[in-house]
Amino acid sequence: QVQLVESGGGLVQAGESLRLSCAASGRFFSINVMDWYRQAPGKQRELVAAITSGGSANYADSVKGRFTISRDNAKSTLLLQMNSLKPEDTAVYYCHMEVVVRGLTYSYWGQGTQVTVSS
């Protein structure tokens, strides 16, 4: 059984920073793509940033230049550094990983962490 545990959310003022982390535990061979999604009240879940096993990253236009995604493959950990936060960044943030277990790839989600940015 693979579990993803997130941490780092909270309440900040506009312009401040937060760092989210997501750690995978359990028995698995490797992790392919890791990404962060977010869901604001009344809106669909959207992709924020993604990073491949080789370290190539992509970002939603709304966060480019402010957010940085990174991963530590040795620790099976995903990070999201969020700078210059805006009220519109308020959402529940979910980590997601494509995990290889016994030759098959499975999709796992974290439990979500609330990020609230006040104006």
Side-chain angles (χ1 to χ4, degrees):
Q1 183 74 6
V2 176
Q3 287 188 320
L4 305 186
V5 178
E6 300 180 35
S7 60
L11 171 64
V12 297
Q13 292 188 333
E16 294 185 339
S17 299
L18 277 176
R19 189 188 196 203
L20 305 183
S21 65
C22 176
S25 63
R27 298 185 68 177
F28 52 87
F29 177 73
S30 64
I31 303 175
N32 293 335
V33 174
M34 296 182 175
D35 28 48
W36 289 99
Y37 285 76
R38 67 186 181 187
Q39 188 166 19
K43 295 188 177 181
Q44 288 189 328
R45 190 173 296 190
E46 63 173 353
L47 179 64
V48 175
I51 186 167
T52 67
S53 57
S56 295
N58 287 292
Y59 299 90
D61 288 342
S62 58
V63 306
K64 280 181 182 176
R66 300 188 298 120
F67 290 12
T68 302
I69 190 171
S70 61
R71 61 189 284 170
D72 183 334
N73 290 327
K75 296 181 180 180
S76 301
T77 299
L78 175 67
L79 302 173
L80 185 67
Q81 178 66 43
M82 305 185 294
N83 298 330
S84 302
L85 283 161
K86 303 176 180 180
E88 51 263 43
D89 294 318
T90 295
V92 178
Y93 284 69
Y94 298 90
C95 64
H96 168 259
M97 298 184 186
E98 304 237 327
V99 182
V100 179
V101 181
R102 298 179 182 176
L104 298 176
T105 302
Y106 298 88
S107 182
Y108 290 94
W109 292 88
Q111 80 279 10
T113 186
Q114 177 70 46
V115 171
T116 303
V117 184
S118 63
S119 57

